[in-house]
Amino acid sequence: MKGTVTEEILNRSIAEPVPLGSYSPSDVIFLLKDLSDVSLERATDEREAAIQSGVHYSEMLPVEYQPTEQYIELFHETLEQSAEKVALAVAVVSEMIVAQRGLDTVLVSLARAGTPIGVLIKRYIQERYDADLPHYSISIIRGKGIDENAILYILQKHGLDADLQFVDGWTGKGAIRQVLIEACNSLYEKYGIRLNDDLAVLADPGNCSGTFGTREDYLIPSACLNSTVSGLMSRTVLRDDLIGPEEFHGAKFYKEWLDTDVSNVFIAAICPYFSSVAEEAQAIAEQMQQSPPEITWQGLRDIQSIQEVFGIDNINLVKPGVGETTRVLLRRVPWKILVDTMDNPNLRHIILLAEDRGVPVEVFPGLTYSCCGIIKPLRGETE
């Protein structure tokens, strides 16, 4: 049986990747179908109504938020202030990957928030260990799973025993972590392939990952923006009329925004700090190896308490953490923003975006996260 399955994987005809994104191909290869010429964007209110009426979010794209000049200034200011802190978190998670997996690992970042973090991890390991790890960026979609063709393509290129390290930007309530666990179980049942479902993240405020740089819920500058800090790539798309059985999940490459792209600016600001933080990072990683941090899913429990307080039945309307709250303000219809305190320095861009969109901000005592975005229920406040 296994021989037959192995043969099926190796002989599966999968479309070759095409050049995509504004990163160098030496930094990352996107395993995504180019949908740049397809009209997929829908206005925020229209998209929100569609999602809450049952249309899957991966079947359409939001209109990309065009930040104000003040907001772009805040991005650059935040990047300058936090570059060393981000570099340390990258270094810690990279050292953990090397300690746990060695240098024959294939980095597989989850598009798109995981892509810049995957690039940074690849750069750190290359500088620190002189090892050029392959790095692919693939699609994973809540409610639909991981891009199976992308996984099989990687295994065809690197062998069925290849050690894949999945990478994302941060955790919220752990929804993608759960999708990844289910996807790895499904691949084992279908093909007998056992992949490690460990998800390496820069920040794990949700307490649902064992490989992370920090559990502090702080502003990772790449969370501030959309495509212009993620290689000019859109969110990933999965629709039967657009994606064939042997094709990767799709995405758009926004070439028209090359002039405002800061994807490589973000990378270039952080890499110079790698050498100065490496020693501290190695010590932190060794300590974490000796006393593995507990995975408690505390963040998920916090969200359930927020649901009870505000009478929200659908957990998907509650988006915890700085990264997820930013996304709510950039591309959903927010109802309100909860913060741990109004003077948290990590929340300056959140307050700015909330003011820009006229969204109320409330202090919610005892919040594990720095903040939490609540999407407006469109069919009554309990739905």
Side-chain angles (χ1 to χ4, degrees), residues 17-271:
V18 296
L20 284 174
S22 61
Y23 296 113
S24 163
S26 63
D27 277 326
V28 61
I29 294 171
F30 287 97
L31 299 185
L32 294 165
K33 179 180 180 180
D34 188 2
L35 299 178
S36 300
D37 296 331
V38 182
S39 178
L40 292 162
E41 290 82 2
R42 290 169 75 171
T44 304
D45 289 355
E46 183 189 351
R47 183 171 178 269
E48 191 63 56
I51 289 171
Q52 292 193 39
S53 66
V55 177
H56 199 276
Y57 73 87
S58 67
E59 296 183 18
M60 56 198 162
L61 290 173
V63 175
E64 292 265 323
Y65 172 77
Q66 295 303 303
T68 62
E69 196 174 320
Q70 184 186 9
Y71 189 75
I72 288 292
E73 282 173 16
L74 181 60
F75 164 78
H76 287 289
E77 187 184 319
T78 304
L79 180 57
E80 188 179 343
Q81 290 170 353
S82 65
E84 187 171 11
K85 185 175 184 175
V86 173
L88 178 60
V90 170
V92 170
V93 75
S94 300
E95 293 287 357
M96 289 190 74
I97 290 169
V98 171
Q100 292 165 176
R101 305 289 191 94
L103 295 172
D104 290 323
T105 308
V106 179
L107 299 174
V108 182
S109 61
L110 305 180
R112 65 185 170 179
T115 313
I117 309 309
V119 171
L120 287 168
I121 290 170
K122 177 183 169 75
R123 292 273 195 101
Y124 178 88
I125 293 173
Q126 196 160 13
E127 181 181 317
R128 176 86 162 144
Y129 293 98
D130 196 27
D132 188 11
L133 271 55
H135 174 212
Y136 299 94
S137 194
I138 73 171
S139 168
I140 189 168
I141 296 172
R142 178 170 47 79
K144 294 197 176 185
I146 204 161
D147 186 345
E148 195 175 281
N149 282 336
I151 294 289
L152 298 184
Y153 177 88
I154 293 168
L155 296 177
Q156 285 178 353
K157 291 291 179 187
H158 299 280
L160 297 179
D161 296 325
D163 194 0
L164 276 50
Q165 173 67 67
F166 295 102
V167 175
D168 208 355
W170 56 84
T171 62
K173 53 183 173 281
I176 290 299
R177 173 95 177 88
Q178 289 173 324
V179 174
L180 182 60
I181 292 168
E182 290 162 12
C184 289
N185 288 339
S186 172
L187 284 163
Y188 180 70
E189 287 168 14
K190 283 178 77 171
Y191 301 107
I193 303 165
R194 193 175 290 286
L195 298 179
N196 190 330
D197 61 28
D198 176 56
L199 181 62
V201 291
L202 204 58
D204 178 39
N207 280 253
C208 55
S209 172
T211 306
F212 56 85
T214 179
R215 277 186 166 160
E216 181 189 346
D217 185 21
Y218 75 103
L219 173 58
I220 300 165
S222 60
C224 276
L225 300 168
N226 284 322
S227 63
T228 50
V229 78
S230 306
L232 291 180
M233 299 300 292
S234 74
R235 295 200 64 168
T236 59
V237 174
L238 185 57
R239 245 174 48 189
D240 291 345
D241 61 322
L242 296 173
I243 308 298
E246 295 174 346
E247 294 181 316
F248 303 126
H249 293 187
K252 296 182 82 160
F253 174 22
Y254 293 117
K255 300 185 193 72
E256 62 270 29
W257 294 333
L258 275 165
D259 289 348
T260 55
D261 183 36
V262 290
S263 304
N264 290 294
V265 171
F266 174 69
I267 303 298
I270 292 160
C271 290

Side-chain angles (χ1 to χ4, degrees), residues 301-310 318 336-342 347 361-372 374:
R301 289 202 291 276
D302 270 21
I303 299 319
Q304 288 160 348
S305 69
I306 289 170
Q307 282 184 267
E308 288 171 20
V309 169
F310 291 99
V318 184
K336 60 180 68 183
I337 305 299
L338 308 179
V339 299
D340 57 351
T341 168
M342 291 298 283
L347 301 181
V361 178
E362 296 179 15
V363 174
F364 190 85
L367 198 62
T368 298
Y369 302 91
S370 292
C371 58
C372 183
I374 304 180

